[in-house]
């Protein structure tokens, strides 16, 4: 083996240390804190941000609680989340269809009553004929 070039190794260690420690230190020095960013907002955005803060914190807490519950299962989390999302989508779709059908039924009833009034016929009082 040849002679070890200690000067080369020293330069490389110093340069590597500069990159490994200096880069993140520079980013940390230049990156503004949350408070500094908040102070740069215009007053309207500050007000909106403060109003929604509790709501965002609650959503995050709920997310973490669900994540902890899902982590207790044997199934992978992404599968559990997909199943839950599918169930929520199905339930909300059913609820939306039900709401739409109720609105449609009310509109049909209102049209029927309007047509009966125009024709001079008595309007039904909500009782169904047998």
């Amino acid at each position: 083996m040849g002679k070890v070039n200690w000067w080369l190794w020293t330069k490389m260690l110093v340069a590597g240390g500069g990159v490994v420690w200096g880069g993140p230190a520079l980013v940390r020095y230049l990156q503004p804190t949350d408070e500094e960013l908040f102070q740069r907002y215009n007053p309207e955005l500050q007000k909106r941000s403060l109003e929604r803060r509790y709501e965002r914190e609650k959503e995050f807490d709920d997310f973490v609680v669900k994540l902890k519950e899902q982590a207790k299962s044997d199934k992978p989390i992404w599968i559990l989340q997909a199943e839950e999302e599918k169930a929520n989508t199905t339930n909300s779709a059913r609820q939306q269809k039900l709401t739409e059908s109720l609105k449609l039924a009310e509109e049909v009833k209102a049209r029927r009553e309007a047509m009966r009034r125009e024709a001079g016929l008595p309007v039904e009082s909500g009782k169904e004929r047998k």
Side-chain angles (χ1 to χ4, degrees), residues 47-102:
K47 181 181 175 188
R48 245 190 313 177
S49 178
L50 288 174
E51 288 173 354
R52 295 200 60 226
R53 178 176 285 171
Y54 174 75
E55 183 180 321
R56 283 180 290 152
E57 288 175 355
K58 177 118 175 75
E59 287 175 3
F60 180 74
D61 290 343
D62 292 343
F63 172 74
V64 170
V65 168
K66 281 184 183 179
L67 204 57
K68 286 180 180 178
E69 289 174 5
Q70 292 170 347
K72 293 177 185 175
S73 174
D74 292 338
K75 291 183 179 179
I77 290 177
W78 57 88
I79 292 176
L80 292 172
Q81 288 177 341
E83 289 173 355
E84 184 175 321
E85 185 177 319
K86 185 177 178 183
N88 288 342
T89 304
T90 304
N91 290 338
S92 64
R94 285 181 191 155
Q95 187 67 27
Q96 187 176 11
K97 284 181 183 179
L98 181 62
T99 304
E100 288 175 8
S101 64
L102 287 174

Side-chain angles (χ1 to χ4, degrees), residues 107-121 123:
E107 289 175 11
V108 168
K109 184 179 178 183
R111 281 189 213 146
R112 193 174 289 151
E113 288 178 0
M115 288 171 51
R116 290 182 71 84
R117 281 191 206 107
E118 287 178 13
L121 298 172
V123 178

